[in-house]
Amino acid sequence: MNHLDFTACPVVPVIRIDSAEQAVGLARTLVDAGLPTIEITLRTPVACSAIERIVAEVPAAVVGAGTVLNAEDLRRVVAAGARFAIAPGCTDALYRAAAQTSLALLPGVATASEIMRGLEYGHQTFKFFPAEPAGGSALLKAWAGPFANVRFIPTGGITIANAPKYLALPNVIAVGGSWMAPQDAVVAGDWPRIAQLARSCQTLNNRA
Ligand code: 3PG
């Protein structure tokens, strides 16, 4: 995941989308507002179609898939053209499947043992999920001791208000969240509201 460029803005919008037709307008809105790295979660039947549409019609977007739970999900998102895959946790089967593809997988972790298993599979960057319920920035600070070379993208309960305390940590490269694309605004196609929320993310910086 280290190939993703978060120098412009270290925020990954986490999107649940019910209509593939809306995907292009939403992706354009996020890209134009300075958030080109977008996670489309596999939580709706249209998620892969949405990824395909964004890949085809919004070339400036770096679109990946979230909620990738197993090898079959990984196969589907590779076929859809996703640039990366994000999992809320990880299994041996998913680690092995990811090793067979060139797609970057961001596995999810919430415990030290899960980090250690990911390290055994050669991963050094993880989604920390669900960040706030699992221990928040205090847990990430504690992990910096034993896992000095490991980097995290916390998601789950992150907001514009608590994002700075995560981004101030040396082991955090970006944060993910849905706060800039609230479900009611996505459903309503309220791109101006999403643009405004996304633009306010420009005030966020990681310590690099
Ligand atoms: C997720 O994968 O659900 C993300 O972590 C989004 O969480 P949020 O809706 O709390 O931002």
Side-chain angles (χ1 to χ4, degrees):
M1 291 302 288
N2 289 324
H3 68 287
L4 290 178
D5 182 5
F6 292 117
T7 46
C9 188
V11 175
V12 181
V14 178
I15 305 296
R16 181 192 191 282
I17 194 156
D18 289 293
S19 151
E21 282 65 45
Q22 284 183 312
V24 168
L26 176 58
R28 281 203 184 112
T29 299
L30 292 169
V31 168
D32 290 348
L35 300 181
T37 304
I38 301 168
E39 172 186 344
I40 303 289
T41 58
L42 298 189
R43 296 181 197 174
T44 63
V46 305
C48 281
S49 311
I51 291 169
E52 282 171 14
R53 297 276 297 261
I54 296 169
V55 168
E57 297 179 49
V58 194
V62 180
V63 62
T67 321
V68 171
L69 300 182
N70 52 48
E72 171 59 15
D73 286 346
L74 197 63
R75 188 197 61 71
R76 289 168 54 220
V77 306
V78 168
R83 299 269 294 274
F84 58 88
I86 302 184
C90 209
T91 65
D92 291 313
L94 186 53
Y95 275 124
R96 283 196 293 265
Q100 303 301 313
T101 78
S102 56
L103 193 71
L105 172 70
L106 185 73
V109 295
T111 68
S113 294
E114 288 164 1
I115 296 169
M116 289 165 66
R117 187 155 61 120
L119 289 170
E120 286 183 353
Y121 280 100
H123 288 257
Q124 283 206 309
T125 306
F126 299 93
K127 166 171 168 145
F128 171 39
F129 177 82
E132 282 286 294
S137 58
L139 185 54
L140 288 173
K141 259 184 219 163
W143 279 344
F147 305 118
N149 296 322
V150 174
R151 297 292 175 266
F152 299 95
I153 300 180
T155 72
I158 313 280
T159 65
I160 190 87
N162 65 15
K165 79 178 176 201
Y166 286 95
L167 291 166
L169 299 174
N171 57 356
V172 169
I173 56 173
V175 296
S178 61
W179 81 85
M180 76 302 289
Q183 196 54 34
D184 59 331
V186 175
V187 168
D190 188 349
W191 308 148
R193 180 171 163 218
I194 291 175
Q196 187 182 24
L197 289 165
R199 272 196 304 271
S200 66
C201 295
Q202 298 302 321
T203 59
L204 300 172
N205 294 294
N206 58 17
R207 91 249 89 75

